[in-house]
Amino acid sequence: MKKKHTGILFVLPHFIGVCIFLFLPFLDVVRRSVFRAAGSFSGLENFKIVLGNDAFRLAAGNTLRFTLVCLPLLLVISLFLAVLIYGTGKTAGALKNAFLVPLAIPAACVVLIWRLLFHVHGMVNGVVTALGGTAVDWMNTGSAFYVLVGSYIWKNLGYVVVLWMAAMDAIPGTVYEAARIDGAGRAASFFYITLPCIRPAAFTIVVVSFLNSFRVFREAYLVAGNYPHDSIYLLQHVFNNWFMSLSVDKMAAGAVLLAIVICTAVSVMQRMWENQ
């Protein structure tokens, strides 16, 4: 009982901080979502306005598309690289550090790299025109979406690789040795040992990657501003524009809707994971 109380005391400061800086402000957001900006009660009217807003629906569709494209690509590529690096032995540490370099690069520097590469007079168009093609304004066409996808994967790949490798480090080496003695190859060891053993950690990695997909807004905003090309107009742009216009009622209703969607998605993923 004493040990139990000691653990609660260690957790208590963090719990109080979460309540003060996250839970209570969100309760205020929920309250504001059913009131007009002027302060009068509106019920579900704000939610109807938000759901009927063309900009919100465009941004929600783009955000969903971005998540559905990025998440599988990131998880598959990172797991493949983690397995390759894990088998390199002593060089694994150096390779992990190399993959983590993009995380240390500030968003403003990433934007400069974007402009150097994808500006209408940038390096990519220089190569295209040298090969006889026509220069493209990449960030003002549908190609901007794929540039954003590439940036997200490049930025988060190393972090997810390290998470996969941490999960694989928990697998006893004796299990692989026994499998090799029984004649199992690398493919069999991966499917019958590695995948089942990292499955508990995989759910956490999926959720973390899913939540990180909402952080790509910084790069898109710094490159294209408040109103980028339609293909990369995300929910964060909508909330930022509503904040600038002080549309607190719509912003609060949209935040509550987004919180419901995220919590539902995480709950569904958890239930699916548990039932497998």
Side-chain angles (χ1 to χ4, degrees):
M1 184 64 68
K2 185 177 179 180
K3 290 182 178 179
K4 181 180 178 181
H5 289 162
T6 302
I8 293 174
L9 289 175
F10 277 108
V11 173
L12 192 60
H14 181 72
F15 177 74
I16 293 173
V18 169
C19 288
I20 294 174
F21 297 107
L22 291 177
F23 186 65
L24 292 179
F26 183 72
L27 287 180
D28 185 60
V29 170
V30 174
R31 181 189 65 82
R32 290 175 182 272
S33 68
V34 294
F35 284 85
R36 296 184 180 90
S40 57
F41 183 76
S42 63
L44 299 178
E45 184 180 344
N46 290 333
F47 295 96
K48 294 178 181 178
I49 293 173
V50 168
L51 292 173
N53 186 284
D54 291 335
F56 181 83
R57 287 189 290 184
L58 172 66
N62 286 338
T63 304
L64 177 62
R65 179 190 175 203
F66 180 81
T67 302
L68 292 178
V69 170
C70 285
L71 204 57
L73 281 176
L74 177 66
L75 295 172
V76 171
I77 294 172
S78 61
L79 180 58
F80 175 75
L81 291 174
V83 172
L84 288 181
I85 295 172
Y86 193 75
T88 58
K90 295 181 179 180
T91 59
L95 290 173
K96 281 196 294 185
N97 292 335
F99 274 106
L100 287 173
V101 168
L103 282 176
I105 300 177
C109 295
V110 174
V111 169
L112 290 177
I113 296 173
W114 274 29
R115 290 178 177 172
L116 284 172
L117 291 174
F118 299 107
H119 191 268
V120 67
H121 301 299
M123 297 172 65
V124 174
N125 278 331
V127 175
V128 171
T129 53
L131 295 174
T134 304
V136 178
D137 190 0
W138 299 96
M139 297 310 299
N140 289 311
T141 65
S143 302
F145 176 80
Y146 300 101
V147 174
L148 195 63
V149 168
S151 173
Y152 167 78
I153 293 175
W154 172 75
K155 184 84 171 176
N156 293 276
L157 185 62
Y159 177 64
V160 183
V161 166
V162 171
L163 292 179
W164 284 125
M165 293 185 68
M168 287 187 281
D169 279 336
I171 304 174
T174 54
V175 178
Y176 289 107
E177 292 177 6
R180 282 195 295 270
I181 292 172
D182 290 338
R186 294 192 66 178
S189 297
F190 174 74
F191 286 105
Y192 294 105
I193 298 176
T194 304
L195 280 183
C197 289
I198 64 174
R199 186 173 172 274
F203 174 73
T204 302
I205 295 172
V206 170
V207 172
V208 168
S209 302
F210 171 66
L211 296 178
N212 280 340
S213 66
F214 291 93
R215 298 173 59 187
V216 75
F217 164 72
R218 296 173 301 173
E219 289 82 355
Y221 177 77
L222 290 173
V223 168
N226 291 328
Y227 300 97
H229 187 267
D230 283 354
S231 64
I232 58 171
Y233 188 72
L234 305 174
L235 282 172
Q236 295 92 326
H237 287 96
V238 175
F239 287 119
N240 185 69
N241 293 335
W242 283 343
F243 177 79
M244 297 295 290
S245 62
L246 297 179
S247 300
V248 179
D249 48 354
K250 290 192 290 186
M251 189 165 56
V256 171
L257 288 172
L258 183 59
I260 292 172
V261 170
I262 291 176
C263 291
T264 303
V266 173
S267 298
V268 169
M269 285 190 289
Q270 183 177 12
R271 192 172 295 273
M272 291 174 60
W273 220 265
E274 291 173 350
N275 292 334
Q276 287 181 355

